[in-house]
Amino acid sequence: MVALALAAPGGASASHRQAMILQDDAKLIYSSPESVSATLQTLKNMGVDRVRVSVVWQLLAPEPSAAKKPKFDATDPNAYPTGVWSRYDFLDRVATQDGLQVYFQPTAPAPTWATTPRKLAQGYRWSHDPNATDYGQFVQAVAKRYDGSFVAPDATGGPTKLPAVRYWGIWNEPNIGGWMTPQWNTLKGGRKVQASPAIYRNMVDAAWKGLVRTGHRHDTIMIGETAAYGAGHKGYGASMDPLTFVRAFYCLNGAYKPL
């Protein structure tokens, strides 16, 4: 037994630079302020360093169910409906007070007016071919509000600056049909080609521009946060495996040669 114990490998030590990130939208954006505060304190006690939060486009956009985009300056957070930012303002302030970093990811569901009408009666309208320009303007509004200088009422009603957010993600799991469609297009003759990587590429470009315009150029910006699986077939909403998606995103074929 002593010999076995001496031969056993030592325990792996964690890196002091490695961050622990946790996401729980149900607890952090769809709960009461009291529940959000309690959840953040629990996460802090668990050793979490950073909370990943979906900034849901549909929750913030004006007239999200309208087919036509309403007239408003989509890059200006003040142009959005009154009160829609309160859940994110509260979370940003309380998380910062608790010593937690905030990681915002502007993502679907998208407003109807920012998506393309579907030709196929499947999938979700809110994830179908999102307009890159509209998305970039939305990201710019979010980034401007959380650049560290934006003033908004706090819990007491007094105007104070919102803490800066320095971690960003661009759309959630774009290789999954529930989050982005079409995943594949069908050409004449029946050949299937990747569709979602090209859609996502334009969205990344637009989001990057919005972040840079608002002073976030040197923040940590995540792209290609894919789900870890894909479907075994190719179709309109059939999820794409991560490697196929990333290669197509960078315009590479299976041999890593430029398309």
Side-chain angles (χ1 to χ4, degrees):
M1 291 178 64
V2 172
L4 288 173
L6 292 174
S13 58
S15 168
H16 294 295
R17 295 179 296 172
Q18 184 173 358
M20 183 187 292
I21 304 171
L22 190 141
Q23 178 177 11
D24 191 337
D25 286 346
K27 290 287 189 181
L28 293 178
I29 64 175
Y30 295 109
S31 293
S32 66
E34 294 77 15
S35 178
V36 171
S37 294
T39 298
L40 289 171
Q41 190 58 56
T42 298
L43 297 180
K44 178 66 175 178
N45 293 339
M46 288 170 58
V48 171
D49 301 295
R50 189 173 304 135
V51 287
R52 183 176 185 263
V53 182
S54 298
V55 182
V56 181
W57 195 356
Q58 199 176 82
L59 288 178
L60 299 172
E63 301 180 39
S65 299
K68 185 177 180 180
K69 182 179 180 178
K71 292 184 178 180
F72 77 111
D73 183 357
T75 66
D76 181 3
N78 288 317
Y80 286 70
T82 303
V84 296
W85 298 98
S86 58
R87 72 183 75 204
Y88 293 108
D89 291 355
F90 180 80
L91 187 151
D92 183 34
R93 284 192 166 110
V94 176
T96 301
Q97 291 169 4
D98 288 344
L100 295 167
Q101 298 175 39
V102 178
Y103 171 9
F104 273 170
Q105 184 177 65
T107 190
T112 301
W113 48 258
T115 60
T116 305
R118 292 168 296 162
K119 295 180 180 180
L120 300 175
Q122 58 178 288
Y124 303 98
R125 174 66 185 270
W126 51 257
S127 64
H128 180 78
D129 194 14
N131 184 282
T133 300
D134 288 334
Y135 180 66
Q137 292 175 348
F138 170 60
V139 171
Q140 185 170 335
V142 179
K144 182 176 181 179
R145 191 174 186 93
Y146 301 102
D147 66 359
S149 66
F150 194 89
V151 175
D154 59 18
T156 65
T160 57
K161 290 181 181 179
L162 290 165
V165 173
R166 295 301 180 197
Y167 290 82
W168 302 89
I170 299 178
W171 207 264
N172 183 59
E173 298 181 345
N175 65 319
I176 298 296
W179 288 101
M180 184 176 289
T181 50
Q183 286 289 313
W184 300 86
N185 281 331
T186 304
L187 303 181
K188 289 183 179 180
R191 187 166 72 92
K192 307 289 185 181
V193 296
Q194 301 95 325
S196 56
I199 297 170
Y200 184 64
R201 189 184 311 120
N202 291 331
M203 295 174 69
V204 168
D205 287 345
W208 165 254
K209 291 174 183 175
L211 287 163
V212 169
R213 287 171 183 150
T214 49
H216 295 276
R217 175 186 291 272
H218 299 293
D219 290 1
T220 299
I221 301 171
M222 307 289 189
I223 67 171
E225 294 180 276
T226 59
Y229 61 90
H233 63 285
K234 300 174 182 179
Y236 167 81
S239 300
M240 193 178 301
D241 73 77
L243 190 54
T244 299
F245 180 90
V246 172
R247 283 195 300 246
F249 174 80
Y250 285 108
C251 298
L252 301 174
N253 62 20
Y256 297 96
K257 302 295 183 183
L259 295 175

